[in-house]
Amino acid sequence: MRRFRSISAKKAVRNGNAAENAVVALFQANGWNAVRVPNGGRMVGPSKFIPIKSPFDYVFLKSGASVFVDIKSTTDKSFRFSKIKKHQLVALSGCERSGAVAGYIVYFSKDNLYRFFTASLLASANNRGSFSPDEGAELKTMFGINA
């Protein structure tokens, strides 16, 4: 069982899980297949397991198209660059360089908005501070999803 340092951390995880479930439901309701990318790990020696975080949360598939995403949520009016995990951005950028659509879907709970930020946009930001919802693409525009 996970232990949290504070009530706010527990609430953040709960909000993140709710946002993730909502995004998956939106994609599935619009004919996309959702594949969760599990965390992994490796054995070091005969009895020590080292957990390894997944490079992103989901792969969505539909009619030969694939979208690689990590799903985030924020209660702020903007999405802070500090919430972007380097290992995820590296993996998503690699998917994008291979011709796939890849990036973050961010749920802005204050405005009840879902936005897609491409890996290349995030990588070019260079620790600039934060992103507003207006800088991301609407899910309907990118994927034909009414959110």
Side-chain angles (χ1 to χ4, degrees):
M1 185 173 158
R2 292 169 96 175
R3 293 193 181 258
F4 297 97
R5 295 178 193 245
S6 68
I7 300 293
S8 61
K10 193 181 258 187
K11 186 177 178 184
V13 168
R14 190 171 47 246
N15 290 345
N17 289 340
E20 195 171 289
N21 292 337
V23 168
V24 170
L26 284 169
F27 271 81
Q28 288 176 331
N30 285 274
W32 290 81
N33 183 31
V35 178
R36 176 84 165 112
V37 179
N39 288 332
R42 63 185 176 101
M43 293 299 293
V44 177
S47 61
K48 185 171 182 176
F49 181 79
I50 298 174
I52 299 172
K53 291 277 193 184
S54 67
F56 39 81
D57 293 332
Y58 283 90
V59 178
F60 294 107
L61 307 156
K62 180 179 179 181
S63 302
S66 56
V67 180
F68 299 83
V69 300
D70 198 75
I71 302 167
K72 301 289 186 191
S73 67
T74 183
T75 57
D76 298 328
K77 288 274 191 187
S78 62
F79 178 66
R80 291 188 311 245
F81 188 86
S82 62
K83 288 188 172 187
I84 297 171
K85 306 288 188 234
K86 184 177 180 181
H87 77 279
Q88 292 173 330
L89 189 53
V90 167
L92 291 167
S93 294
C95 293
E96 201 174 63
R97 279 191 306 278
S98 296
V101 176
Y104 277 41
I105 293 177
V106 180
Y107 175 60
F108 294 88
S109 63
K110 278 195 192 305
D111 299 318
N112 193 31
L113 296 172
Y114 294 90
R115 292 294 185 260
F116 179 75
F117 296 87
T118 63
S120 55
L121 171 69
L122 298 172
S124 69
N126 225 6
N127 286 327
R128 68 166 202 181
S130 62
F131 295 90
S132 71
D134 294 340
E135 295 174 87
E138 294 182 18
L139 297 187
K140 182 174 183 151
T141 304
M142 287 294 297
F143 312 112
I145 293 173
N146 290 316

